[in-house]
Amino acid sequence: MRKISILALHLGYGGIEKCIINLANLICKEYQVEIISTYKLENVPAFELDKSVKVSYLIEKYKPNREEWKQAIRKGKPLTFLKESYKAVAVLFLRRRRTIQAIQECDSDIIISTRDIFNEWLGNHASKKTYKIGWEHNHHHQDISYIKKIVSSSRKLDKLILVSDSLRSFYKKELKKKGYKCKCVYIPNMIDNIPKKASTLKNKNIISVGRLSREKGYTDLIEVFKLVHEKRPDWHLDIIGDGPERNKVVDAIYQNKLTKEITLHGYLKRKEIDELLNQSSIYLMTSYTESFGIVLIEAMSHGLPCIAFSSAEGANDLIKNDYNGYLIEERNFNQMADMIVELIDSMERRQKLGKNGREISMNYTSDKIKNDWLKLLKRR
C-alpha cells in the first residue's frame, strides 16, 4: 500500500483542519495515511479521525502565541511584549527546523502541503522521488504580495490544488507567466453527508456557523439581525462557533439588547450542528472574505436558503441569486435585512430556494470528491 503524508499546522478547530481530517478519512482505505502536525493544541484532533490514520506532532511543548503577543502590545506591557516576542521567534525557528527535518526523513510516495510555507519547504527539501502537492484553501483577495507568495512557494511542486475553479484558472495563468511547471487542479471541499431529511423551514430560526474572528464579520451579523428583529421580533438567531472575537460578539449582543433573541452556542459537535441546522429556516454569512464556504454547502444540504455578502468570494461560487439564495453587494446591512424579512414572509420562496440548494449540495458529497482525489493521486 502506497503512503501519503499530509503536512498540517495543527489539528484544532478550523476550516483547513476540517478539510485535512476529511481527506485523511476519505483515502485511508486506499493509502497508508499519516498527518504530520506542527503543533499539538489538544490531546486529540478536534474532528473525528479514522483510527488507521497515524498522527505525528513535531512540537508538543509550545504553541503559537500570536494572541498573547498582540495583547501585550494593546495593554502596553513592554516586558511581556519582549518575553512573547522571544518565544515567538524561538517557536518559529523550531517549526522551520523540525518541519524541514520531517520532510527530509519522510518516506511517503506523496506529500500534501496545506500552507504556503510548507509548499516552500516541501519543494526545496523533499526527495526527488516524492510527488509534491500543494493545497491552497485561501482566496488571494487581489493581494499582490500574497499572490506572489503562493506562486513562488509552488514553483517546485508537481500539483497545486485549488478549492474553486476561478482560483484554478487564476493561478494557472500566474504560474505560466513565471514558466513554472506546477499544474493547477480544481477539487472542491466536501461535506460529510447529505441529511436524509431537509429542514421543514417552519421554525422561526436563523443560523450562522463559523469561527468568531474579524474576517467572519459576526459583529456585523448582530447589526443586521437587529434590523430584522425590529420588523420581525419573533425570530431567533443561533450562532455556532468560538474564537478571538467572542468577547466583541458578546458585547454587541448585550449593547443591542438581544440576549434573549440570540444564542451564542460556542463550539458544537457535528451532530449538534446538524440538529440546529435542521431546526432552522435561513442561513446567514456575513464574512468579509471566504475562500470556499463549506458551511454554505452544509446549510444547503439541510435545505436552507442562504444569504451572504458578495465580499465573501467563495459565496459567489456557490450562491445564485433567486435560485438557492441571495448575494448582497457592498455589505449593505439594510439590504440584507430586507431580504431576510422577505424570506421570513414567504414560505414558498424559502422552500424553492432551499430545494435548489439541496440539489446543488449533492455535487459536494464525499463519493464525488473522493473520485476527484483518487484520480489525481493515481496519476502519480
Side-chain angles (χ1 to χ4, degrees):
M1 184 178 285
R2 297 171 72 198
K3 184 178 177 182
I4 294 177
S5 291
I6 305 173
L7 303 176
L9 187 63
H10 61 79
L11 294 178
Y13 285 99
I16 295 177
E17 291 67 41
K18 179 67 183 300
C19 291
I20 291 170
I21 296 294
N22 281 345
L23 176 60
N25 290 338
L26 200 65
I27 61 175
C28 64
K29 298 297 184 290
E30 287 77 16
Y31 293 89
Q32 179 186 347
V33 180
E34 73 166 349
I35 299 175
I36 301 173
S37 177
T38 302
Y39 302 110
K40 186 175 185 179
L41 301 186
E42 303 293 341
N43 290 328
V44 295
F47 305 101
E48 188 174 347
L49 182 63
D50 191 285
K51 294 180 180 179
S52 68
V53 178
K54 178 185 175 183
V55 178
S56 301
Y57 295 100
L58 302 181
I59 303 174
E60 297 190 30
K61 185 178 179 181
Y62 304 105
K63 298 178 182 179
N65 66 327
R66 179 178 294 180
E67 290 304 317
E68 291 84 351
W69 182 80
K70 288 181 178 179
Q71 192 173 27
I73 296 176
R74 287 194 296 266
K75 293 185 176 181
K77 295 183 176 181
L79 291 178
T80 303
F81 168 73
L82 289 173
K83 179 182 177 181
E84 294 299 336
S85 296
Y86 175 79
K87 180 180 176 182
V89 171
V91 170
L92 290 177
F93 172 79
L94 195 61
R95 181 182 74 176
R96 182 181 189 280
R97 189 181 70 182
R98 291 191 178 177
T99 304
I100 289 175
Q101 183 180 1
I103 291 171
Q104 290 173 331
E105 296 176 354
C106 186
D107 61 352
S108 292
D109 301 282
I110 301 169
I111 301 180
I112 300 173
S113 162
T114 58
R115 304 273 176 169
D116 59 271
I117 190 64
F118 294 159
N119 292 351
E120 188 78 27
W121 296 335
L122 177 60
N124 288 333
H125 299 284
S127 165
K128 291 183 179 180
K129 296 180 180 179
T130 302
Y131 199 60
K132 298 173 281 293
I133 299 174
W135 192 8
E136 176 58 18
H137 294 265
N138 299 316
H139 199 283
H140 52 75
H141 315 307
Q142 302 301 324
D143 183 334
I144 301 301
S145 62
Y146 186 82
I147 293 168
K148 287 182 177 179
K149 184 166 60 173
I150 296 302
V151 171
S152 176
S153 71
S154 304
R155 67 189 183 278
K156 294 184 180 180
L157 300 181
D158 296 294
K159 295 283 175 64
L160 179 64
I161 310 301
L162 289 313
V163 296
S164 76
D165 198 40
S166 58
L167 285 175
R168 180 200 63 80
S169 298
F170 178 84
Y171 280 113
K172 179 181 178 181
K173 292 177 182 177
E174 294 299 312
L175 287 163
K176 188 176 181 180
K177 286 179 187 177
K178 293 290 185 178
Y180 299 150
K181 296 181 180 180
C182 176
K183 295 183 179 179
C184 296
V185 180
Y186 162 52
I187 301 181
N189 292 328
M190 69 171 190
I191 56 176
D192 295 332
N193 66 291
I194 302 293
K196 292 181 180 179
K197 293 183 179 180
S199 168
T200 63
L201 306 180
K202 293 180 179 179
N203 294 322
K204 297 180 178 181
N205 292 336
I206 299 169
I207 191 169
S208 186
V209 183
R211 178 172 165 78
L212 303 186
S213 52
R214 192 200 66 79
E215 70 274 10
K216 300 298 183 181
Y218 274 101
T219 53
D220 291 352
L221 174 61
I222 306 304
E223 295 298 322
V224 170
F225 182 73
K226 179 184 178 182
L227 297 172
V228 174
H229 176 68
E230 291 171 354
K231 297 179 179 180
R232 300 295 182 270
D234 52 342
W235 277 66
H236 188 87
L237 172 63
D238 289 299
I239 300 176
I240 302 173
D242 210 334
E245 294 271 307
R246 180 183 176 86
N247 289 339
K248 288 186 179 181
V249 175
V250 170
D251 289 344
I253 293 172
Y254 274 92
Q255 289 169 6
N256 288 291
K257 300 179 180 180
L258 294 170
T259 54
K260 293 182 180 179
E261 291 76 19
I262 299 177
T263 301
L264 191 57
H265 293 271
Y267 286 123
L268 295 178
K269 294 181 179 179
R270 181 72 255 167
K271 183 178 180 181
E272 296 170 313
I273 295 174
D274 285 334
E275 288 174 354
L276 283 172
L277 284 168
N278 224 41
Q279 294 167 13
S280 302
S281 297
I282 300 171
Y283 187 89
L284 298 185
M285 173 181 279
T286 51
S287 297
Y288 284 86
T289 65
E290 198 77 43
S291 58
F292 179 74
I294 191 68
V295 291
L296 290 174
I297 297 296
E298 291 172 342
M300 289 178 198
S301 74
H302 286 268
L304 302 187
C306 298
I307 303 179
F309 286 129
S310 61
S311 60
E313 297 90 346
N316 292 270
D317 292 329
L318 299 173
I319 295 178
K320 298 178 181 178
N321 278 319
D322 205 29
Y323 183 77
N324 61 336
Y326 296 98
L327 290 167
I328 308 301
E329 301 293 332
E330 299 179 353
R331 300 191 66 80
N332 189 313
F333 290 9
N334 286 303
Q335 187 180 347
M336 177 176 274
D338 289 343
M339 191 57 66
I340 295 167
V341 171
E342 286 188 26
L343 281 182
I344 286 174
D345 292 344
S346 177
M347 167 64 84
E348 183 179 355
R349 188 183 294 188
R350 294 203 301 273
Q351 289 175 335
K352 171 194 168 186
L353 301 182
K355 179 183 177 182
N356 292 337
R358 189 165 161 86
E359 290 177 358
I360 287 175
S361 72
M362 303 293 181
N363 295 321
Y364 301 92
T365 60
S366 58
D367 287 345
K368 185 179 186 308
I369 305 306
K370 181 176 182 176
N371 287 334
D372 291 342
W373 272 104
L374 291 181
K375 284 180 182 177
L376 171 74
L377 299 172
K378 286 176 181 176
R379 288 175 185 169
R380 164 67 174 93

